Amino acid sequence: MSEIAQPSPIAVPLGAVRPLLRNWRRHVPLMLVAPLLIYMLVLYALPVLAMLLRSLNDPTWTLSHYTALFEDVVFAKTFWITFNTSVIVTLGCLILGYPVAMGLVRAKTMAPLILVVILLPFWTSVLVRSYAWMVLLGRHGLINEGLLALGMIDRPMRILNTSLATQIAMIHILLPYMILPIANALRQIDPSLLRAASGLGATPFMTFRQVILPLSMSGVAAGTLLTFVLALGFYITPAMVGGPRDITLSMLIAQEVDQLNWAYAATLSAVLLATALGILAAARHLPGVGNAFRMSMR
Amino acid sequence: MRKYTPGRRTALGLLSAGIAAPFIRPSFAQAAWPEQTTIPDALKGSGEVRIAGYGGTMQEAQTKGYYESFEKLSGIKVRPFPGANAPKVKAMVETGNVEWDVAQLSRGSIMNLQKTGDYFEKIDYSIVDDGVGKEYRFEYGLEMLLWAQVLAYRTDAFKGAVPTGWADFWDTKKYPGDRAMFGTGGGGWPEMEIALMAAGVPADKLYPLDVDKALASYSKIKKDVVKWWETGAVPIQLLTDREVTMTTVWNGRMAALQAAGVPAAISWNQGLLKRDAWGIPKGAKNKDNAMKFVAFSTMAIPQARVSLGIPYGSVNTKSDEYIPAARQEVLPSAPAIKKQLVNYDYDWWIANREAVIPKFNKWLLS
């Protein structure tokens, strides 16, 4: 233990370290995270700050980019589209993901297989997966050709290049982020509670409603939060499979960068970042979510 | 009974558009290519020049067209880079870390950026060839490639009817099927000229653009436009997969599609004649070599060679004598085709884009 905790000479300059050295055991946790902290500070936090600064001081110190937001109809609509899409996708992930998480926890021999099936798409690039959805959802893709062959439709439906396509593809990409925290919470439930419930005469449904569901809420909260915040930042998928009006906030930011309106792009980025941070901060105070944060620390 | 083919054509389509394209060359038989054998001493030098282009087939055509002969004749080594765009030039110049000596941009993106500061070197016109027309020269760049944004359609979609202009593009009764058009995503400027021509504005009365009239015209086709594309690969993929029956395209991309056997064709009539331009980022390390390269690449033979490698046109009037008649049939610079095209007015867009693009976005989302 003490060997691992030796401070790295690269990470912390010696002068700053001296008082730390005196009772260094107390600072072991800090020393362990110091290399990553410095890495993130230099290569992530500072560039992000420099970028955000552009929203305030380009061309001179001004709040005009932020006041412009209030009159910008395009921003308002884009923000609404982004938010709306994230809500739908998160709900879709929850409805599809919860049963899978239960299956994953209950399965004995099949569990590793289920886990691989869940994680497999996780290891494939978003670009490739979006292309795959184009092949599946296209007017002459697998789904349309299949429904035609079965006689369920008489002409190909437009699925690709619609909001529905965006939602389907995003749910697919984000499902693991919902399933894994829920499965984690389900796994923590003491099996003797379930035996006690049925011993006291509860039907399987009552056991689910009154025991499993409440005890898994921390996982649901963590999964929902993670999925929602990630969904807010989607760019490639809606651009590739989405409809003509599916402009997300990230796409608008990219467009402003390309149109050389960098100050406004920075302003929009600040709004996106603040929204994500705001949701995370607000969610901490929700019952159950605090647990989820603590749970993920274990 | 329909035969059940599970997405095979779609998969093939993606393959042919994405993978096969580089192998099926839309270029002209190599034997007929002219060869540049000497250059003025003013273009000779040493060291290197770092050139940002678009990669892919364009870079292949440029390598055979003028990178190789420039290296051989000038003694200056060429290092090509993909991914040229104006935002990167802005970032490079602002951080003082200029990694390119020349970048393939457009008069629009160069002047757009130059309007906000000093981002480009002035072109040294004393060494530029006389054959390069006045209309292609401007202070901070030199136009070096002619291309066209044109109407493309599936030839199997309309029972033999042939669309010949934007009024036909707007006519979804006679020419059924979805459409795709160029949007504002990748820093692009929407095709307002096309919307105006569809509404009956004559090609020579387009500028200054009547934006409200263009948007009103766009509104008539809005529900049929399934994609507002931002990169040239998208309309090609949409045509291949039969997601649309008609779209606007960059003409050079169509050659690869046709070579891959997709039943699709271009209608040149009322297309927009656009130009790419070399820009030299302010503070480029090899600025002198960059000037020499810009001058060399716009000489008659190097320009003709690029036109033989990829179906884009020359800015040098003397190039035509090196280009066989059969090749002229697919080049936007060929007199018979050029007269059907509308000269794109970058200057109008530079002056107005800041007001026009938010207006277009607002219309799109309403």
Side-chain angles (χ1 to χ4, degrees), chain B residues 264-329:
Chain B
I266 284 177
S267 168
W268 291 101
N269 190 36
Q270 297 185 322
L272 305 177
L273 182 67
K274 296 192 173 183
R275 288 92 60 194
D276 278 1
W278 292 128
I280 300 176
K282 191 86 193 172
K285 231 188 299 173
N286 306 295
K287 181 183 135 190
D288 291 343
N289 288 348
M291 296 288 178
K292 289 170 186 174
F293 169 76
V294 166
F296 176 81
S297 68
T298 46
M299 288 168 70
I301 290 177
Q303 281 280 304
R305 286 174 65 89
V306 167
S307 292
L308 294 170
I310 194 164
Y312 292 126
S314 162
V315 296
N316 195 308
T317 48
K318 293 179 287 184
S319 295
D320 278 344
E321 59 186 279
Y322 301 104
I323 300 172
R327 185 61 178 177
Q328 291 280 17
E329 283 169 18

Side-chain angles (χ1 to χ4, degrees), chain A residues 8 42 80 97 103 125 158 181 196 198 252:
Chain A
S8 143
V42 172
W80 166 245
S125 99
R158 183 175 144 201
S198 66
L252 189 63

Side-chain angles (χ1 to χ4, degrees), chain B residues 25-357:
Chain B
R25 276 170 219 290
S27 62
F28 203 73
Q30 191 87 52
W33 287 39
E35 194 78 49
Q36 184 81 31
T37 49
T38 56
I39 52 167
D41 283 342
L43 301 190
K44 291 178 183 164
S46 61
E48 61 170 16
V49 58
R50 301 163 302 172
I51 304 168
Y54 300 143
T57 43
M58 182 74 230
Q59 186 177 318
E60 283 175 43
Q62 287 171 315
T63 302
K64 286 206 308 206
Y66 38 60
Y67 291 170
E68 286 173 356
S69 41
F70 180 67
E71 278 193 341
K72 208 165 64 190
L73 296 168
S74 73
I76 297 165
K77 185 152 174 42
V78 171
R79 280 174 58 200
F81 293 83
N85 72 21
K88 282 192 204 156
V89 171
K90 177 174 158 79
M92 284 180 187
V93 174
E94 283 180 9
T95 56
N97 183 21
V98 182
E99 292 168 17
W100 301 333
D101 299 315
V102 189
Q104 182 170 354
L105 302 164
S106 74
R107 183 192 291 250
S109 55
I110 290 172
M111 292 315 293
N112 211 6
L113 189 49
Q114 187 65 26
K115 217 169 68 165
T116 64
D118 201 11
Y119 290 95
F120 292 96
E121 301 283 353
K122 286 184 185 172
I123 300 293
D124 176 4
Y125 279 106
S126 69
I127 53 175
V128 171
D129 194 87
D130 299 338
V132 180
K134 287 269 173 295
E135 66 271 35
Y136 303 121
R137 299 164 182 237
F138 61 106
E139 202 172 2
Y140 294 97
L142 175 56
E143 291 180 326
M144 40 63 85
L145 191 78
L146 300 186
W147 53 280
Q149 202 150 315
V150 289
L151 187 160
Y153 61 100
R154 294 275 311 194
T155 51
D156 56 358
F158 311 125
K159 303 188 177 78
V162 175
T164 55
W166 302 115
D168 291 345
F169 192 94
W170 256 242
D171 186 349
T172 49
K173 286 210 174 64
K174 193 171 171 198
Y175 301 97
D178 286 334
R179 306 287 196 259
M181 294 189 80
F182 190 52
T184 53
W189 301 338
E191 298 157 318
M192 299 238 165
E193 294 85 351
I194 288 174
L196 288 171
M197 283 188 269
V201 177
D204 56 351
K205 302 233 158 53
L206 285 174
Y207 299 101
L209 301 182
D210 181 340
V211 175
D212 293 326
K213 190 170 182 176
L215 292 178
S217 172
Y218 265 134
S219 292
K220 292 184 187 142
I221 202 170
K222 190 176 184 180
K223 67 172 176 25
D224 299 295
V225 178
V226 296
K227 202 87 187 170
W228 296 91
W229 56 274
E230 44 184 278
T231 57
V234 173
I236 296 304
Q237 174 258 323
L238 292 169
L239 275 179
T240 309
D241 290 350
R242 292 179 290 162
E243 291 296 332
V244 299
T245 56
M246 240 193 271
T247 178
T248 54
V249 294
W250 295 337
N251 77 288
R253 300 274 182 158
M254 281 298 284
L257 182 73
Q258 289 163 325
V262 176
I266 284 177
S267 168
W268 291 101
N269 190 36
Q270 297 185 322
L272 305 177
L273 182 67
K274 296 192 173 183
R275 288 92 60 194
D276 278 1
W278 292 128
I280 300 176
K282 191 86 193 172
K285 231 188 299 173
N286 306 295
K287 181 183 135 190
D288 291 343
N289 288 348
M291 296 288 178
K292 289 170 186 174
F293 169 76
V294 166
F296 176 81
S297 68
T298 46
M299 288 168 70
I301 290 177
Q303 281 280 304
R305 286 174 65 89
V306 167
S307 292
L308 294 170
I310 194 164
Y312 292 126
S314 162
V315 296
N316 195 308
T317 48
K318 293 179 287 184
S319 295
D320 278 344
E321 59 186 279
Y322 301 104
I323 300 172
R327 185 61 178 177
Q328 291 280 17
E329 283 169 18
V330 298
L331 297 181
S333 55
I337 292 174
K338 201 173 173 183
K339 67 170 191 238
Q340 301 178 56
L341 302 173
V342 181
N343 216 18
Y344 192 74
D345 188 347
Y346 289 98
D347 295 326
W348 185 87
W349 277 101
I350 295 159
N352 294 284
R353 64 136 205 142
E354 251 168 288
V356 174
I357 287 173

Side-chain angles (χ1 to χ4, degrees), chain A residues 208-230:
Chain A
F208 174 75
R209 267 237 12 223
Q210 298 184 6
V211 181
I212 299 176
L213 197 58
L215 285 175
S216 65
M217 279 320 280
S218 60
V220 169
T224 302
L225 210 57
L226 204 56
T227 311
F228 188 82
V229 168
L230 285 172

Side-chain angles (χ1 to χ4, degrees), chain A residues 107-182:
Chain A
K108 296 282 177 288
T109 49
M110 293 285 276
L113 183 70
I114 297 175
L115 197 64
V116 166
V117 170
I118 294 166
L119 289 178
L120 205 61
F122 209 35
W123 297 326
T124 321
S125 99
V126 173
L127 196 65
V128 171
R129 276 185 282 172
S130 300
Y131 261 115
W133 280 112
M134 288 166 81
V135 174
L136 284 173
L137 300 176
R139 192 153 289 196
H140 301 276
L142 190 64
I143 290 172
N144 266 315
E145 299 274 344
L147 290 175
L148 281 169
L150 292 170
M152 291 173 74
I153 51 174
D154 26 285
R155 69 172 74 168
M157 295 182 297
R158 183 175 144 201
I159 315 172
L160 184 64
N161 301 326
T162 64
S163 307
L164 181 65
T166 306
Q167 289 151 12
I168 293 174
M170 281 177 69
I171 287 172
H172 173 234
I173 290 165
L174 290 171
L175 258 177
Y177 294 98
M178 183 65 89
I179 295 174
L180 296 178
I182 295 178

Side-chain angles (χ1 to χ4, degrees), chain A residues 54 58 73-74 77-78 81 131 134-135 137-142 145-146 148-149 158 160-161 235 238-247 251-252 254-262, chain B residues 1-7 9-11 14 86-87 90-91 94 112-113 178 184-189 222-223 225-228 230 237-238 241-243 353 357-358 361-362 364-366:
Chain A
R54 256 186 199 274
D58 186 0
V73 189
V74 173
K77 293 230 167 172
T78 310
I81 292 169
Y131 261 115
M134 288 166 81
V135 174
L137 300 176
R139 192 153 289 196
H140 301 276
L142 190 64
E145 299 274 344
L148 281 169
R158 183 175 144 201
L160 184 64
N161 301 326
Y235 169 60
M240 282 178 75
V241 304
R245 291 160 63 175
D246 281 351
I247 301 178
M251 288 163 74
L252 189 63
Q255 182 177 327
E256 295 295 342
V257 170
D258 285 331
Q259 301 280 5
L260 301 172
N261 304 329
W262 287 13
Chain B
M1 185 73 196
R2 266 186 79 99
K3 212 173 127 233
Y4 176 53
T5 49
R9 276 196 221 97
T10 317
L14 275 175
K90 177 174 158 79
E94 283 180 9
N112 211 6
L113 189 49
D178 286 334
T184 53
W189 301 338
K222 190 176 184 180
K223 67 172 176 25
V225 178
V226 296
K227 202 87 187 170
W228 296 91
E230 44 184 278
Q237 174 258 323
L238 292 169
D241 290 350
R242 292 179 290 162
E243 291 296 332
R353 64 136 205 142
I357 287 173
N361 283 340
K362 199 171 143 188
L364 180 64
L365 290 172
S366 64

